[in-house]
């Protein structure tokens, strides 16, 4: 197994922490992982993205321009990374934030109403966990338990009581793509 | 040959004669390279007297500057480092922070401490590093041949202010000790000289205080400025230079304590 | 071995340095290395070391000079603009033969440049960025694990040869996360005696002096000869490199640090197309692996050097190859990172050109 993905959106949407959680979970399962943030001035309010690789073998490069999956949380990122998905790959995008989704027909595109569902869970911040849940349902990269384990590392202690809610969000995401599969 | 022999005076040892002075054993017994009449040699001796009398030779580390006293370690028989131009207090900081029980002093000229090393000087004192800074202010760049220093007085002629220091063009002489005294980290700031026997005694007292404060770990930097002469740089005889210093320098660089430690509480 | 941790490269260097017994860290903030400084500020004092945020990189490196002259394990870290400021003192440190460990997390230059990753400080690190004839051992990690491993190594080599050693890395490796394990390190087995250190004249021993001043030319030449002898020794003992799929290669990529990771990916893609490409990755940039490159020049039909600069290590590759094969270059500058597909198309282009030439012969 070797999964190369990019997560992209606005700074503040939890793009970097979503990627970091996935990388942690990979490590929990003893896989090789890389988390490469795109940092710099553009992090503040502008677009932010991170590359995550989870693999059974040594990861050659943390710099990649062709991805198995792109998780896209805003329109500029859709425009930028649509063409960077390998043929046969996936795009998962957040429904409310994107007007013009990909028109490519050589990849599978999943529209995830994560903002709406997060509001139903009474916590808008669970938006990225819902998308992550959808991604994991489509790609068995790591187990949900490992994500919960990872959240203990990524979240500050005072937010640990939110972990059960995040579990709900993961399951919700899986349920949403269940409708596609 | 007899006529060329200079007879050395012989002193009769007298049993009941009191010994009033002895060269400190930790001053190397070598001729120094300083110009005749230069204040550096007296300052060197005083530091070694103080270190020896305090019994701290085995834990004292000195930092030499770049300047006329760059070779101070050839005279001061304690462990020494030769720092880059202006950086002596940074070196001392690096050591003192790890080896708190060592006694650190820097020995610096005015170009070294108050021009190229101003930032290090200010920040070392501002952090209140528990070290002794000895600042020899001769109002000139001695080693490189008598150029203007930040401390050069108004109107003074040097090789880079041939018409005399013009304040409009060249800025004002810098009273760095007074500047440092306002910093919270400064514990003891004093300005002394070594041009008379009385002045020498006072300077020794000041150095003694400074080293004692460090040993006691009183919290803060001790700064001893020694206003000094530079007969060669000033193009004067040693005696003229001392007179010129007394007549001109002390008006601007007033001698005495600038900041003294707070009195102990009752 | 510690358990696996997910860490940024900058943090891995800091943690490894603490485990390697660093006694004093002196630094000044600059992106993209600040995580290292910040990690040290919170961890080092708790674990028995001294942390000072200096007023400048000039002060920081001179604090290192002082403390290593007094026998301590010391370090500083910075990025290009700060490293430029440190050059004077590094020259003093090399001449006074003080062991210390330095880190340059490169960003795009020249000038204030950008905070994005770069490899533009190769010449400065490898050829001696300060005045006079001196060298530093330069280690170029390409993973977070190596950031940690080479930190231990850097301290040990510094002590072994009484020389400054450094890690030359970049903002991407500094800020990306990978898993890392810290090896067991029994400090007592690694510490060496430093009878030359200025510790105070304990028990009335002879004076120790740390200096780089030797006014007599004859004496200064002797100092230089001694340094050069040490550098030959280092060149004999400490060359490190990694080869990937070079056994059957008829085309070679040469790259260090982050570029070597991207080239590894390009190599995988090229191999999928049946192109017999190999990769040589210098790990020590000084001493440089000239010999292996010279040997590989007999085997391959061409070489491609890939760097995040205008072609600096390229000069060393050409020196090593000495005209035996053609050496091409692909580089990005100013904070741009070469992408795998761009390198792949360069490989395709050169590969067919060189193998065709061979068939015509
Ligand atoms: C970076 C650097 N710049 C310049 C010099 C040249 N230099 C050596 S000594 C000196 C002036 C020293 O003057 P001061 O500190 O007043 O000491 P003095 O010689 O008067 O005792 C200068 C400019 C140097 N060694 N290093």
């Amino acid at each position: 197994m070797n999964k190369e993905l990019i997560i992209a959106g606005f700074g503040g949407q939890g793009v970097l922490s979503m990627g970091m959680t996935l990388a942690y979970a990979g490590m929990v399962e003893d896989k090789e992982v890389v988390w490469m943030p795109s940092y710099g001035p553009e992090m503040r309010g502008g677009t932010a993205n991170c590359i995550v690789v989870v693999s059974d073998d040594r990861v050659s490069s943390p710099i990649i321009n062709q991805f198995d999956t792109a998780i896209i949380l805003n329109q500029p990122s859709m425009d930028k990374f649509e063409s960077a998905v390998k043929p046969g790959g996936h795009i998962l995008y957040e429904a409310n934030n994107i007007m013009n989704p990909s028109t490519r027909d050589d990849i599978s595109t999943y529209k995830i109403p994560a903002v709406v569902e997060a509001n139903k869970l009474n916590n808008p911040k669970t938006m990225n966990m819902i998308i992550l849940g959808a991604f994991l349902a489509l790609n068995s990269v790591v187990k949900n338990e490992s994500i919960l384990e990872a959240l203990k590392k990524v979240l500050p202690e005072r937010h640990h009581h939110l972990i059960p809610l995040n579990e709900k969000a993961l399951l919700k995401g899986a349920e949403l793509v269940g409708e596609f599969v | 040959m007899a006529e060329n022999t200079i007879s050395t005076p012989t002193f009769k040892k007298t049993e009941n004669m009191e010994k009033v002075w002895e060269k400190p054993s930790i001053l190397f017994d070598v001729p120094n390279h300083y110009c005749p009449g230069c204040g550096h040699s007296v300052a060197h001796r005083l530091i070694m007297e103080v270190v020896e009398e305090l019994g701290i030779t085995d834990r004292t580390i000195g930092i030499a500057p770049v300047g006329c006293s760059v070779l101070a370690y050839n005279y001061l028989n304690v462990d020494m480092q030769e720092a880059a131009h202006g950086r002596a207090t940074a070196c001392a900081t690096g050591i003192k922070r790890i080896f708190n029980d060592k006694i650190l002093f820097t020995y610096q000229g005015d170009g070294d401490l108050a021009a190229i090393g101003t930032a290090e000087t200010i920040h070392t004192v501002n952090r209140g590093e528990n070290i002794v800074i000895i600042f020899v202010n001769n109002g000139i760049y001695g080693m490189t041949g008598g150029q203007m220093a930040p401390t050069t007085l108004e109107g003074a002629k040097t090789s880079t202010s041939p018409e005399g220091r013009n304040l409009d063009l060249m800025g004002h002489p810098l009273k760095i000790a007074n500047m440092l005294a306002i910093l919270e980290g400064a514990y003891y700031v004093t300005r002394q000289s070594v041009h008379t026997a009385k002045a020498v005694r006072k300077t020794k007292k000041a150095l003694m205080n400074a080293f004692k404060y460090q040993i006691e770990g009183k919290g803060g930097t001790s700064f001893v400025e020694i206003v000094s002469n530079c007969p060669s740089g000033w193009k004067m005889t040693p005696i003229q230079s001392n007179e010129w210093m007394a007549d001109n320098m002390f008006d601007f660089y007033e001698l005495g304590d600038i900041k003294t430690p707070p009195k102990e509480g009752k | 071995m510690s358990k696996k941790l997910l860490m940024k490269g900058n943090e891995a260097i800091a943690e490894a340095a603490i485990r390697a017994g660093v006694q004093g860290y002196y630094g000044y903030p600059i992106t993209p290395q600040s995580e290292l400084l910040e990690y040290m500020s919170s961890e080092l004092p708790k674990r028995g070391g001294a942390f000072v945020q200096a007023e400048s990189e000039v002060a920081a490196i001179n604090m290192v000079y002082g403390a290593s002259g007094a026998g301590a394990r010391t370090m500083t870290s910075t990025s290009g603009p700060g490293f430029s400021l440190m050059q004077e003192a590094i020259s003093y440190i090399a001449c006074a033969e003080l062991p210390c460990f330095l880190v340059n997390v490169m960003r795009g230059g020249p000038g204030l440049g950008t905070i994005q990753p770069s490899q533009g400080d190769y010449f400065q690190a490898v050829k001696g960025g300060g005045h006079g004839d001196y060298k530093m051992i330069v280690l170029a990690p390409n993973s977070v694990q190596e950031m940690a491993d080479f930190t231990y190594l850097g301290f040990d080599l510094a002590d072994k040869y009484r020389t400054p050693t450094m890690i030359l890395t970049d903002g991407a490796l500094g800020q990306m996360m990978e898993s890392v394990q810290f090896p067991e390190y029994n400090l007592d087995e690694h510490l060496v005696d430093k009878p030359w250190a200025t510790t105070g004249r304990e028990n009335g021993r002879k004076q120790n002096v740390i200096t780089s001043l030797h006014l007599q030319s004859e004496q200064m030449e002797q100092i230089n000869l001694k340094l050069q002898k040490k550098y030959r020794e280092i060149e004999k003992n400490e060359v490190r490199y990694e080869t990937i799929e070079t056994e059957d290669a008829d085309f070679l990529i040469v790259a260090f640090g982050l570029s070597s990771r991207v080239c590894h990916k390009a190599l995988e893609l090229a191999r999928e197309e049946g192109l017999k490409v190999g990769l040589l990755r210098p790990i020590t940039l000084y001493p440089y692996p000239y010999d292996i490159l010279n040997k590989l020049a007999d085997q391959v039909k061409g070489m491609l050097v890939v760097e995040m600069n205008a072609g600096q290590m390229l000069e060393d590759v050409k020196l090593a190859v000495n005209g035996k094969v053609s050496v091409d270059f692909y580089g990005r500058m100013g904070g741009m990172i070469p992408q795998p597909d761009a390198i792949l198309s360069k490989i395709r282009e050169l590969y067919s050109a060189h193998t065709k030439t061979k068939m015509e012969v």
Side-chain angles (χ1 to χ4, degrees):
Chain A
M1 190 270 307
N2 180 56
K3 268 285 166 242
E4 300 173 338
L5 78 152
I6 183 145
I7 308 173
F10 287 122
Q13 280 181 316
V15 167
L16 298 182
S17 62
M18 190 194 322
M20 205 185 286
T21 308
L22 180 59
Y24 258 114
M27 193 184 67
V28 167
E29 294 187 9
D30 234 12
K31 298 192 159 75
E32 298 293 331
V33 294
V34 171
W35 174 84
M36 168 69 83
S38 154
Y39 58 90
E42 61 176 33
M43 237 172 95
R44 293 178 189 103
T47 59
N49 70 66
C50 63
I51 293 169
V52 180
V53 184
V54 184
S55 179
D56 291 329
D57 306 309
R58 174 178 172 181
V59 178
S60 57
S61 178
I63 304 293
I64 305 169
N65 50 7
Q66 287 292 304
F67 302 95
D68 298 308
T69 299
I71 294 178
I72 306 285
L73 304 185
N74 68 2
Q75 189 64 48
S77 300
M78 179 63 88
D79 301 340
K80 190 166 170 191
F81 294 111
E82 177 190 2
S83 60
V85 177
K86 294 177 195 169
H90 296 169
I91 288 183
L92 283 75
Y93 70 92
E94 202 296 307
N96 270 21
N97 281 284
I98 281 151
M99 305 292 286
N100 306 309
S102 168
T103 51
R104 279 178 61 176
D105 53 12
D106 61 339
I107 57 175
S108 312
T109 303
Y110 300 91
K111 175 180 179 179
I112 316 286
V115 167
V116 171
E117 292 299 331
N119 286 337
K120 286 189 201 157
L121 289 175
N122 286 323
N123 190 330
K125 290 209 164 146
T126 56
M127 182 270 278
N128 54 37
M129 278 301 127
I130 293 173
I131 302 227
L132 190 58
F135 167 77
L136 291 173
L138 294 168
N139 306 273
S140 38
V141 174
V142 296
K143 299 193 200 70
N144 279 3
E145 299 90 82
S146 308
I147 294 284
L148 300 175
E149 186 73 29
L151 281 172
K152 285 187 203 154
K153 302 270 186 192
V154 177
L155 291 177
E157 194 105 26
R158 62 180 194 282
H159 289 154
H160 280 193
H161 66 280
L162 294 174
I163 290 176
L165 183 66
N166 279 285
E167 186 175 10
K168 265 193 205 158
L170 285 173
L171 295 173
K172 186 76 210 171
E175 188 188 311
L176 291 174
V177 287
E179 292 165 16
F180 289 98
V181 179
Chain B
M1 277 193 285
E3 55 262 48
N4 286 345
T5 312
I6 302 163
S7 64
T8 28
T10 48
F11 296 103
K12 273 218 193 89
K13 258 207 184 131
T14 316
E15 293 304 306
N16 52 8
M17 203 180 245
E18 192 193 352
K19 186 191 255 180
V20 291
W21 186 79
E22 190 176 26
K23 189 181 78 64
S25 75
I26 53 173
L27 197 61
F28 278 117
D29 201 2
V30 292
N32 70 47
H33 73 278
Y34 297 114
C35 305
C38 169
H40 275 311
S41 25
V42 183
H44 281 20
R45 168 172 62 84
L46 294 180
I47 298 166
M48 287 302 94
E49 283 181 11
V50 167
V51 168
E52 186 158 56
E53 284 166 30
L54 289 172
I56 51 172
T57 309
D58 61 350
R59 57 187 179 119
T60 295
I61 306 167
I63 315 289
V66 175
C68 285
S69 44
V70 67
L71 289 168
Y73 50 79
N74 283 349
Y75 313 124
L76 313 181
N77 189 4
V78 290
D79 273 7
M80 290 201 68
Q81 296 192 7
E82 205 293 297
H85 196 20
R87 320 299 172 207
T89 63
C91 288
T93 299
I95 301 171
K96 187 75 180 184
R97 284 298 184 104
I98 298 178
F99 304 107
N100 190 29
D101 57 328
K102 306 292 178 196
I103 302 302
L104 268 298
F105 73 89
T106 71
Y107 185 97
Q108 301 172 259
D110 38 278
D112 194 85
L113 180 140
I116 196 169
T118 311
E120 283 77 6
T121 305
I122 289 178
H123 286 281
T124 301
V125 176
N126 192 46
R127 287 189 303 262
E129 300 294 346
N130 185 23
I131 63 171
V132 175
I133 300 175
I134 298 154
F135 170 44
V136 178
N137 174 6
N138 58 10
I140 204 156
Y141 282 54
M143 189 192 209
T144 40
Q147 295 85 2
M148 186 183 71
T151 46
T152 300
L153 292 181
E154 179 178 9
K157 288 186 180 167
T158 70
S159 67
T160 52
S161 57
E163 306 296 324
R165 185 176 189 152
N166 173 333
L167 298 189
D168 290 339
L169 289 177
M170 304 164 187
H172 299 257
L174 190 63
K175 290 183 189 174
I176 194 144
N178 304 72
M179 276 172 64
L180 296 171
I182 66 167
L183 301 177
E184 296 293 333
Y187 187 69
Y188 173 51
V189 181
T190 187
R191 186 183 288 121
Q192 304 294 337
S193 74
V194 289
H195 67 304
T196 62
K198 191 169 165 216
V200 168
R201 279 197 297 276
K202 278 184 147 175
T203 301
K204 180 166 175 184
K205 179 111 197 302
L207 288 167
M208 188 62 90
N209 287 340
F211 277 91
K212 273 187 182 159
Y213 295 144
Q214 181 176 175
I215 292 167
E216 290 160 10
K218 278 282 168 58
T221 310
S222 293
F223 187 91
V224 180
E225 172 171 346
I226 301 172
V227 181
S228 187
N229 59 349
C230 181
S232 303
W234 297 354
K235 307 203 181 349
M236 295 177 194
T237 66
I239 292 175
Q240 282 170 343
S241 72
N242 274 342
E243 284 167 2
W244 191 88
M245 176 169 68
D247 293 346
N248 297 279
M249 299 267 283
F250 299 156
D251 278 346
F252 190 80
Y253 298 112
E254 254 177 84
L255 301 186
D257 289 342
I258 299 170
K259 183 175 190 177
T260 49
K263 293 269 178 300
E264 301 278 331
K266 280 163 214 156
Chain C
M1 278 290 186
S2 76
K3 65 181 200 312
K4 267 195 189 176
L5 301 164
L6 191 68
M7 278 187 137
K8 291 188 175 185
N10 284 333
E11 296 167 343
I13 291 177
E15 177 60 29
I18 296 172
R19 288 168 185 253
V22 68
Q23 290 163 277
Y25 172 94
Y26 313 93
Y28 189 83
I30 186 170
T31 309
Q33 71 79 50
S34 291
E35 292 86 359
L36 210 170
L37 174 87
E38 286 159 2
Y39 194 96
M40 284 296 187
S41 74
S42 70
E43 283 299 309
L44 189 54
K46 276 191 259 172
R47 291 156 74 176
F51 168 88
V52 181
Q53 179 169 330
E55 60 272 27
S56 67
E57 289 87 350
V58 175
I61 187 71
N62 283 286
M63 291 176 188
V64 167
Y65 176 99
S68 55
R73 278 201 159 182
T74 58
M75 72 175 288
T76 183
S77 60
T78 184
S79 186
F83 203 57
S84 292
L85 279 180
M86 293 182 180
Q87 294 306 317
E88 183 199 23
I90 294 173
S91 170
Y92 277 61
I93 286 170
C95 186
E97 298 196 87
L98 301 181
C100 63
F101 176 64
L102 315 173
V103 180
N104 178 357
V105 185
M106 290 180 282
R107 57 191 248 173
L112 193 51
T114 160
I115 57 175
Q116 306 298 330
S118 151
Q119 297 181 324
D121 306 345
Y122 178 93
F123 280 150
Q124 187 187 43
V126 170
K127 305 297 176 185
H131 55 289
D133 280 302
Y134 74 90
K135 292 283 187 187
M136 273 188 286
I137 296 178
V138 183
L139 301 163
N142 80 349
S143 65
V144 174
Q145 182 64 52
E146 285 190 349
M147 297 284 244
D149 294 346
F150 294 176
T151 297
Y152 296 92
L153 181 63
F155 278 107
D156 287 351
L157 292 177
D159 277 346
K160 180 171 174 194
Y161 294 101
R162 280 189 65 180
T163 190
T165 61
M166 71 173 292
I167 278 186
L168 185 67
T169 185
D170 66 78
L173 281 165
Q175 300 196 323
M176 73 185 218
M177 289 178 121
E178 286 183 316
S179 62
V180 53
Q181 279 180 295
F182 295 93
E184 283 318 325
Y185 186 84
N186 185 346
L187 190 56
D188 291 337
E189 289 168 15
H190 292 262
L191 289 182
V192 300
D193 280 344
K194 298 178 178 175
W196 45 265
T198 57
T199 54
R201 291 180 48 211
E202 288 147 343
N203 306 317
R205 71 147 161 73
K206 256 184 71 223
Q207 176 199 38
N208 281 342
V209 171
I210 301 295
T211 187
S212 63
L213 177 76
H214 306 278
L215 287 170
Q216 305 300 325
S217 302
E218 291 81 0
Q219 202 187 347
M220 193 64 219
E221 186 174 47
Q222 287 309 314
I223 297 285
N224 268 283
L225 289 170
K226 184 171 168 222
L227 288 177
Q228 290 303 319
K229 196 168 153 221
K230 171 163 79 180
Y231 298 146
R232 296 301 87 76
E233 193 69 14
I234 290 171
E235 286 158 11
K236 202 173 82 202
N237 299 336
E238 305 301 341
V239 172
R240 288 170 170 79
Y241 58 85
E242 181 191 8
T243 52
I244 296 173
E245 307 210 35
T246 49
E247 297 76 19
D248 65 339
D250 46 27
F251 187 81
L252 189 74
I253 320 173
V254 190
F256 72 95
L258 184 71
S259 309
S260 71
R261 296 284 296 269
V262 190
C263 288
H264 189 180
K265 179 90 190 173
L267 175 149
E268 287 172 352
L269 298 171
R271 284 267 167 183
E272 277 170 25
E273 296 178 9
L275 310 182
K276 287 198 218 152
V277 177
L279 173 66
L280 179 99
R281 169 170 79 100
I283 289 174
T284 48
L285 301 180
Y286 177 81
Y288 196 76
Y290 290 111
D291 290 348
I292 177 72
L293 262 168
N294 188 280
K295 228 184 272 162
L296 284 166
D298 293 329
Q299 173 190 327
V300 300
K301 310 287 180 297
M303 292 189 188
L304 172 66
V305 178
V306 179
E307 297 178 77
M308 286 145 64
N309 58 40
Q312 299 190 16
M313 182 181 74
L314 174 65
E315 295 191 1
D316 280 315
V317 175
K318 284 186 171 169
L319 266 180
V321 166
N322 202 12
K324 283 186 190 170
V325 289
S326 77
V327 179
D328 284 271
F329 177 71
Y330 178 76
R332 299 296 302 267
M333 289 170 285
M336 298 300 293
I337 304 177
Q339 298 292 320
D341 58 351
I343 298 170
L344 178 63
S345 39
K346 194 83 193 165
I347 293 172
R348 281 196 199 113
E349 176 196 317
L350 294 166
Y351 193 90
S352 62
H354 292 309
T355 36
K356 212 196 284 155
T357 325
K358 189 210 155 200
M359 288 192 315
E360 278 167 6
V361 169

